[in-house]
Amino acid sequence: MRLSSLALLILVFSWAPSGFAAAESLRQSLFAEAEQSLATANEARASLLAPTSYAEGADYYRRAEALLEDGGDIDSIRRYLDRAAQAFERATSATAVAQVAFRKTLEARADATQAEASSYATAEWRAAEEGLADAAVRMEKDRVKSAQRAADSA
């Protein structure tokens, strides 16, 4: 009996790495497009400049991860990942417009970041960040003039 238990343990552990590799391979193939869209959105600073679409994409992405972890239906996981990729792509597109419209505000933000304003002028930094976030949300809703005013006051 002792020998058969040992043999079973050896058998289980010898299959575990290949099972893990297969699961990881499945995850990589399912998530590849959404991960690429996420990386592109991150490079474009979409979480800052298109927070609504970016958050939507992140929510769908997390849902897909949770569903995969729970052993959910592959088609449902794909649907969530497709929606995540679409939202990240919308966010990336929105950043192009926001970068032009908010150029002065973003330059001022970069200067404030360089001066470590978040450490020395915490309340002002927070107010400016909230103003920029508000402007970005308005821009995503195509409220261009309102977004520009919000960015200028940020």
Side-chain angles (χ1 to χ4, degrees):
M1 174 138 172
R2 187 169 174 85
L3 184 59
S4 64
S5 296
L6 181 60
L8 181 61
L9 282 173
I10 290 171
L11 187 61
V12 167
F13 284 113
S14 68
W15 283 344
S18 63
F20 176 75
E24 187 58 28
S25 177
L26 174 64
R27 187 193 186 291
Q28 287 175 350
S29 68
L30 285 173
F31 282 73
E33 182 183 348
E35 285 180 351
Q36 180 59 49
S37 296
L38 172 60
T40 302
N42 285 337
E43 289 173 19
R45 300 187 303 168
S47 63
L48 174 68
L49 299 172
T52 304
S53 297
Y54 187 88
E56 179 185 345
D59 183 51
Y60 282 126
Y61 190 92
R62 282 190 295 273
R63 287 182 189 185
E65 284 182 319
L67 200 53
L68 179 65
E69 195 172 297
D70 292 341
D73 177 55
I74 297 295
D75 288 334
S76 296
I77 295 167
R78 282 190 178 120
R79 275 193 298 276
Y80 281 134
L81 291 170
D82 287 344
R83 291 175 184 162
Q86 291 168 2
F88 290 136
E89 289 164 10
R90 273 195 316 275
T92 300
S93 295
T95 63
V97 175
Q99 286 175 354
V100 172
F102 304 156
R103 184 182 55 80
K104 291 178 184 175
T105 303
L106 292 172
E107 288 172 359
R109 183 180 186 274
D111 291 342
T113 300
Q114 184 70 27
E116 299 179 12
S118 62
S119 298
Y120 299 110
T122 306
E124 292 83 357
W125 174 263
R126 194 170 308 133
E129 287 292 286
E130 288 172 6
L132 180 57
D134 179 49
V137 168
R138 291 176 191 212
M139 184 63 76
E140 280 189 279
K141 293 178 181 178
D142 288 329
R143 295 171 46 202
V144 178
K145 289 181 182 180
S146 174
Q148 190 62 55
R149 283 192 302 272
D152 289 345
S153 67

